[in-house]
Amino acid sequence: MVRTVSAAETAPQTYAWPVKAEGLRVQAGRHLAVNGLDLALGTGVHGLLGPNGAGKTTMMRALATVVRPADGRLELLGQPVHTRADLRGVRRALGYLPQHFGFYPRFTVREFVEYMAWLKEMPAGDVPGAVQRAIERVGLADRADKKMKTLSGGMLRRVGIAQAIVNDPQILLLDEPTVGLDPEQRMTFRDLLRELGADTCVLVSTHLVEDVVAACTDVVLVDTGRLVWQGTPQELARWGAAGDAGDSPAERGYSALLRTHRAGTR
Amino acid sequence: MNTHANADLLARYVAGDPGLDDATLWSLETHLESCRACRARLGTTMDGGTVALLDRVHRELGQRIAAGPAPYRRRRWWSFGRRWTVAWSVLPWLAVTVGMLATALLFDRAYPQYPSMVLLVAPVAPLFSVAAAWSRRADPAWELLTATPRAGLWLLLRRTLAVLAVLIPLLMLAGWRAGQSPARWLLPCLVFTAATLALGGRIGVQRAAYVLTAAWAAGVMVPTVAEREPSALLQPGSQPGWALALAVVGAIALLRRADYRRLTSRN
Ligand SMILES: [Zn+2]
């Protein structure tokens, strides 16, 4: 489908990294779930790995501009978002699937994605086409006019992905997008991720190391709210030794890196 | 190319002549896109095999389109109306408010010698409905909404105006039946609504509604009922004061608009 390219899209980029965090601290309730995170993400698919409670969801929320960092710097698309500044411009270029994806059960898939497109301030004329395209990309074209309460968990997750990509975001944040997807849907989703990663900065949080190896160009490993390690999936696999926990080289690499990090911080 | 394509060029194009350079090819195709006559000539230049192939593609595409789902018809008014249904959580509160107004009106009609209850209730009547329109608990997609550019004071303001559009006519009606002019209660009502928005960013809209209603009840309602004397605050003479308050509170709400940009546990 041909779409009009706006002047803003062809304007030269004035920042080095779509996502850049320095000494970022973010509170979740009373404790600091993100505690001194330094991170730079470019275009591509970044897999965010870490044990439960590592601060992945809080980090995603901060990057989605949903919560304000307590301290440190956070720049998205070259604009500071850790301040009390206006976030409209950045948010128009953002796609976000939260871990707990809430929806309106009486809305159809199309109505819901349309509503999200409206909230994202897309031009009214672009909405119907963009909504149809997003629904097709997640493979829900045959369910587009079904009420959301009739959908299975995996389908709802895909509606969540559709609403996140409807505005062709420059930064796409997906928190546990593969939960509830069956193996075949996971394969299709990995293809979609690779496609999106060609021109978008995608950050996918997951607990499945195999997802990261299959679909990501870059691995971001966090623990206790800090960056532990960043590199390619191949480099991750090289870290593992035979004695480390895990079923694949990448899983062993993951265990080894976490173990080394934890030994170092004690 | 504004002139029509010559027969020789068309023939070479149809045959896929590798001798045609990109510039010629490009300008020919641009012309064909806009010129019906040349497209028709293109058809007659083609050999039988190509025409048969195109016929088959045309037929099969037509069959597949006929078998597939019908194109989606956009219903603009429907999507507009649908947007408002996300704030359905307001309905119970609107109903409670209408009930309260009706009770106050019955009281006024039964005891005309006492200060008007409709007048006492009117300034804080919209607050709980406004709070319900901006509630994390009532909106399942709250976190999604917060990450969008439209989230913030303006979205809350739209919902507040919708609440007022329903309640103000009802207040007018109740006020008219109770013999109370809107000149006494309309400005106070707007001040309290604006104050809920101004305070809501700091402490949560719901809590702001509680605090302001409690303050009004303690400061004005209880003394009025106890002394059986209409409050001086609700006389036509105090309206300039309310107008000034509206300007101040409105300005504070605007200045504090950044408070509504993030997900807070207070709402
Ligand atoms: Zn022509």
Side-chain angles (χ1 to χ4, degrees):
Chain A
M1 198 178 71
V2 181
R3 84 189 169 87
T4 20
V5 176
S6 71
E9 279 175 88
T10 50
Q13 188 174 301
T14 54
Y15 49 86
W17 306 97
V19 173
K20 179 111 179 73
E22 280 168 23
L24 196 68
R25 283 173 223 284
V26 190
Q27 269 178 310
R30 292 213 172 153
H31 89 121
L32 280 171
V34 174
N35 196 354
L37 177 80
D38 296 303
L39 184 70
L41 301 179
T43 301
V45 183
H46 310 271
L48 179 59
L49 282 177
N52 287 334
K56 286 178 293 182
T57 290
T58 308
M59 179 178 150
M60 281 287 192
R61 283 180 158 180
L63 295 189
T65 72
V66 158
V67 291
R68 191 153 77 91
D71 194 21
R73 287 186 63 79
L74 177 60
E75 279 182 17
L76 300 181
L77 306 171
Q79 284 196 51
V81 298
H82 54 277
T83 59
R84 292 172 60 85
D86 193 357
L87 302 164
R88 285 177 93 133
V90 169
R91 281 179 173 173
R92 275 190 211 116
L94 219 63
Y96 175 42
L97 172 66
Q99 192 177 33
H100 300 287
F101 166 58
F103 58 93
Y104 307 114
R106 288 163 186 278
F107 275 49
T108 66
V109 172
R110 189 191 307 278
E111 282 165 356
F112 185 75
V113 181
E114 253 177 19
Y115 179 60
M116 289 308 298
W118 177 79
L119 284 172
K120 294 181 184 201
E121 299 186 329
M122 291 181 67
D126 297 350
V127 169
V131 167
Q132 180 66 34
R133 198 168 103 94
I135 292 174
E136 280 171 10
R137 285 180 100 178
V138 299
L140 281 176
D142 54 336
R143 305 282 172 143
D145 296 304
K146 293 272 180 301
K147 291 246 192 311
M148 288 180 74
K149 62 181 170 192
T150 65
L151 302 186
S152 70
M155 288 180 193
L156 286 173
R157 216 67 201 145
R158 285 189 277 158
V159 179
I161 298 163
Q163 66 78 25
I165 61 174
V166 68
N167 55 328
D168 286 317
Q170 286 168 267
I171 298 176
L172 179 61
L173 307 160
L174 304 170
D175 201 349
E176 298 281 358
T178 53
V179 171
L181 299 191
D182 65 35
E184 195 196 338
Q185 290 164 352
R186 288 232 309 275
M187 297 298 168
T188 325
F189 175 66
R190 289 173 186 172
D191 290 340
L192 176 62
L193 272 189
R194 280 187 285 260
E195 199 183 299
L196 290 164
D199 58 355
T200 311
C201 172
V202 188
L203 182 62
V204 195
S205 118
T206 176
H207 60 279
L208 295 174
V209 179
E210 47 176 313
D211 274 348
V212 171
V213 176
C216 299
T217 49
D218 180 52
V219 182
V220 175
L221 180 59
V222 293
D223 191 26
T224 57
R226 284 161 188 269
L227 180 68
V228 171
W229 182 84
Q230 192 173 1
T232 65
Q234 293 72 32
E235 287 166 346
L236 177 69
R238 266 189 297 227
W239 272 89
D244 290 310
D247 296 330
S248 66
E251 280 181 13
R252 286 190 283 274
Y254 169 79
S255 313
L257 279 164
L258 267 187
R259 188 168 37 78
T260 319
H261 169 72
R262 288 180 169 173
T265 50
R266 258 183 219 127
Chain B
M1 191 196 295
N2 290 319
T3 53
H4 292 303
N6 67 45
D8 173 52
L9 181 61
L10 276 180
R12 285 171 69 198
Y13 176 66
V14 167
D17 184 348
L20 280 178
D21 63 284
D22 283 352
T24 317
L25 208 63
W26 195 22
S27 57
L28 174 64
E29 286 184 340
T30 314
H31 177 78
L32 283 171
E33 276 175 11
S34 60
C35 179
R36 184 187 265 268
C38 284
R39 277 204 305 274
R41 286 169 55 220
L42 189 69
T44 57
T45 318
M46 278 187 275
D47 64 89
T50 312
V51 171
L53 174 72
L54 284 175
D55 276 349
R56 216 183 71 218
V57 169
H58 176 80
R59 205 170 47 243
E60 283 182 11
L61 262 182
Q63 279 166 359
R64 281 197 210 171
I65 289 169
Y72 175 67
R73 227 169 13 92
R74 186 159 192 243
R75 295 161 297 178
R76 200 173 273 274
W77 284 103
W78 173 257
S79 18
F80 176 78
R82 207 73 179 105
R83 268 176 227 152
W84 287 109
T85 61
V86 301
W88 256 342
S89 51
V90 177
L91 287 182
W93 277 110
L94 281 178
V96 168
T97 311
V98 170
M100 254 167 46
L101 273 178
T103 315
L105 184 59
L106 283 177
F107 182 89
D108 283 8
R109 311 269 286 184
Y111 307 101
Q113 69 276 26
Y114 287 118
S116 165
M117 288 305 285
V118 169
L119 190 57
L120 278 180
V121 170
V124 290
L127 301 200
F128 286 101
S129 306
V130 169
W134 199 254
S135 154
R136 182 185 198 170
R137 240 166 303 151
D139 192 338
W142 188 250
E143 188 166 349
L144 274 181
L145 183 143
T146 317
T148 65
R150 237 182 250 277
L153 182 64
W154 297 117
L155 193 61
L156 170 59
L157 205 59
R158 287 169 73 100
R159 294 185 179 181
T160 304
L161 290 177
V163 166
L164 291 181
V166 174
L167 280 184
I168 294 225
L170 289 173
L171 283 169
M172 292 271 186
L173 186 71
W176 170 61
R177 300 299 295 167
Q180 298 298 333
S181 148
R184 290 167 186 260
W185 56 261
L186 185 57
L187 273 176
C189 176
L190 295 179
V191 169
F192 272 96
T193 308
T196 309
L197 305 192
L199 203 58
R202 294 293 288 176
I203 64 171
V205 181
Q206 221 146 49
R207 216 176 293 172
Y210 288 135
V211 167
L212 289 166
T213 308
W216 179 252
V220 177
M221 281 174 156
V222 172
T224 306
V225 172
E227 291 158 25
R228 297 183 185 179
E229 196 65 41
S231 168
L233 287 173
L234 292 172
Q235 298 309 315
S238 53
Q239 296 308 305
W242 285 108
L244 183 69
L246 183 58
V248 171
V249 171
I252 294 174
L254 262 182
L255 289 172
R256 304 282 333 169
R257 66 187 180 280
D259 293 339
Y260 284 103
R261 284 194 197 123
R262 309 279 186 162
L263 179 82
T264 54
S265 51
R266 302 183 206 98
N267 282 312

